[in-house]
Amino acid sequence: MNALIGNGPKTIITRFAPSPTGYLHLGHVASAIFVWGVARAASARVLLRMEDHDLGRCRRDYEEAIFADLAWLGFAHDNTDFRFAVNSTYRQSDAGAHFESALSELIASGQVYACNCSRQEILLRNRSANAEELRYDGYCRTRGIPLDAPDVGLRLQIPTTELRFDDLRLGMQTQTPALQCGDLLLKDRHGQYTYNFAVVVDDLRQGINLVIRGEDVLHATGRQLWLADKLGGSDAISYFHHPLIMGSNGQKLSKRLLASAIASRRLAGEDPRVLLGEAAQAVGLLAAARPLTVLELPQLLSTHFLKRGRSNGGI
Ligand code: GLU
């Protein structure tokens, strides 16, 4: 595993960053298996970060259930090692001052503008586009709306250049954010910081140098690296995007199994080792489900990726 992330003197710091907008499901458990498995194999630290930047959708009872689920499954975080984790809990909603100062830095670069387009308007102007993401067309770029006008979002002009990064599992990736999402929304019209902005500010200030997360956010990595670079440092972060979970027949996991909350299985008295085994099997780390403990994860991940090698999907 150290061949993957180097074995120099530098401390490796990674994070698990759920959004408390719902209960944990098996997909999160699969993600946690990768984060803790790689981290413990590489003597890395794991920061548990509650990504509650979208205050309208996040709930404290979800957060409490997430803490309880992770502890029940055996995923112990290292938050006490981090000075910014208050009483060992780190929430984005407590970090407004940091987001504000990063935003001011970007505003000073002269490339941030106010935008009052609604999602509906952007959709209407993009009617013919057959893209996977809704791309902002730069409509407000030259309209000169004051940054402090009411009900405006703030966007950062994104260059048309192609961005390249080497994913530790998937190899070289090429993305052009200007064609994917267009000018990046930093803060929305309701005053909420966006996922891309908050995640980059946090990864930088928390010294995260290894990001392990699902392929569902692979498309956002180019823009995040670009933003990190604008804020003073992207070279330090390596990315590992893990596969998403599949059912036993190789099909996408059934909605029922995916949606079934870990919390209700915990409260029903199930064996957490059975859940870990199910998630490991669904994500392709075990040929057949069997009870599994967190202590076995470093070995499981090392064996799996050493066996497969980087060229065919290994680390
Ligand atoms: N809060 C994000 C999620 O739950 C984390 C994505 C990331 O790791 O960057 O999907």
Side-chain angles (χ1 to χ4, degrees):
M1 189 69 63
N2 279 344
L4 142 76
I5 30 200
N7 50 6
K10 191 174 70 166
T11 307
I12 298 170
I13 307 179
T14 188
R15 76 317 192 262
F16 186 67
S19 300
T21 52
Y23 293 109
L24 285 192
H25 55 62
L26 212 59
H28 294 106
V29 180
S31 199
I33 286 177
F34 278 95
V35 171
W36 267 273
V38 171
R40 295 303 178 231
S43 307
R45 289 193 208 155
V46 182
L47 170 75
L48 174 60
R49 179 166 84 205
M50 286 295 159
E51 300 216 320
D52 61 348
H53 55 96
D54 183 347
L55 292 175
R57 293 175 56 224
C58 292
R59 285 185 8 201
R60 272 304 158 87
D61 55 328
Y62 290 142
E63 181 186 293
E64 277 159 25
I66 292 173
F67 278 126
D69 288 344
L70 290 174
W72 176 67
L73 290 163
F75 293 114
H77 60 72
D78 304 312
N79 282 12
T80 43
D81 292 351
F82 297 91
R83 64 184 153 64
F84 38 72
V86 182
N87 297 329
S88 131
T89 301
Y90 173 77
R91 294 187 190 96
Q92 289 186 324
S93 58
D94 291 329
H98 297 279
F99 298 136
E100 210 51 60
S101 103
L103 184 62
S104 305
E105 205 179 314
L106 295 171
I107 290 174
S109 76
Q111 288 156 350
V112 173
Y113 64 90
C115 166
N116 61 7
C117 297
S118 66
R119 190 179 158 78
Q120 198 55 30
E121 286 164 341
I122 303 171
L123 267 170
L124 280 174
R125 292 201 299 269
N126 268 265
R127 245 183 327 208
S128 56
N130 187 16
E132 281 175 17
E133 275 190 79
L134 183 58
R135 180 181 160 276
Y136 185 64
D137 56 2
Y139 183 77
C140 287
R141 221 190 232 208
T142 52
R143 293 181 66 214
I145 304 170
L147 296 186
D148 58 356
D151 295 330
V152 293
L154 296 178
R155 290 187 185 271
L156 178 63
Q157 291 183 33
I158 211 155
T160 51
T161 36
E162 206 175 73
L163 299 166
R164 285 164 67 78
F165 60 93
D166 199 4
D167 182 88
L168 290 167
R169 172 174 156 260
L170 302 167
M172 196 53 78
Q173 304 291 309
T174 306
Q175 295 179 356
T176 310
L179 299 178
Q180 296 172 280
C181 59
D183 290 344
L184 202 59
L185 191 63
L186 306 173
K187 202 172 186 180
D188 69 18
R189 298 207 300 164
H190 312 289
Q192 314 259 22
Y193 293 105
T194 59
Y195 156 65
N196 282 301
F197 177 71
V199 87
V200 168
V201 174
D202 272 347
D203 283 344
L204 283 179
R205 79 186 186 87
Q206 293 166 346
I208 303 296
N209 50 22
L210 176 64
V211 170
I212 302 167
R213 61 186 182 190
E215 275 180 31
D216 51 337
V217 279
L218 177 65
H219 66 281
T221 300
R223 72 199 66 161
Q224 291 179 11
L225 275 166
W226 172 78
L227 183 58
D229 188 50
K230 283 205 84 63
L231 288 168
S234 60
D235 294 351
I237 307 180
S238 302
Y239 287 85
F240 175 98
H241 290 91
H242 64 73
L244 303 179
I245 61 177
M246 310 282 270
S248 52
N249 48 5
Q251 307 290 322
K252 267 185 88 176
L253 206 69
S254 79
K255 283 229 170 59
R256 187 198 56 77
L257 195 51
L258 187 60
S260 102
I262 304 306
S264 50
R265 299 180 64 178
R266 166 170 55 83
L267 294 170
E270 285 197 38
D271 181 345
R273 296 170 306 166
V274 169
L275 252 91
L276 275 188
E278 260 177 35
Q281 191 262 333
V283 80
L285 289 169
L286 285 178
R290 63 165 173 83
L292 188 67
T293 71
V294 163
L295 293 177
E296 295 173 78
L297 297 181
Q299 182 64 36
L300 178 68
L301 277 140
S302 302
T303 318
H304 183 79
F305 285 104
L306 287 179
K307 199 170 69 202
R308 299 183 67 198
R310 182 181 174 132
S311 58
N312 55 0
I315 304 181

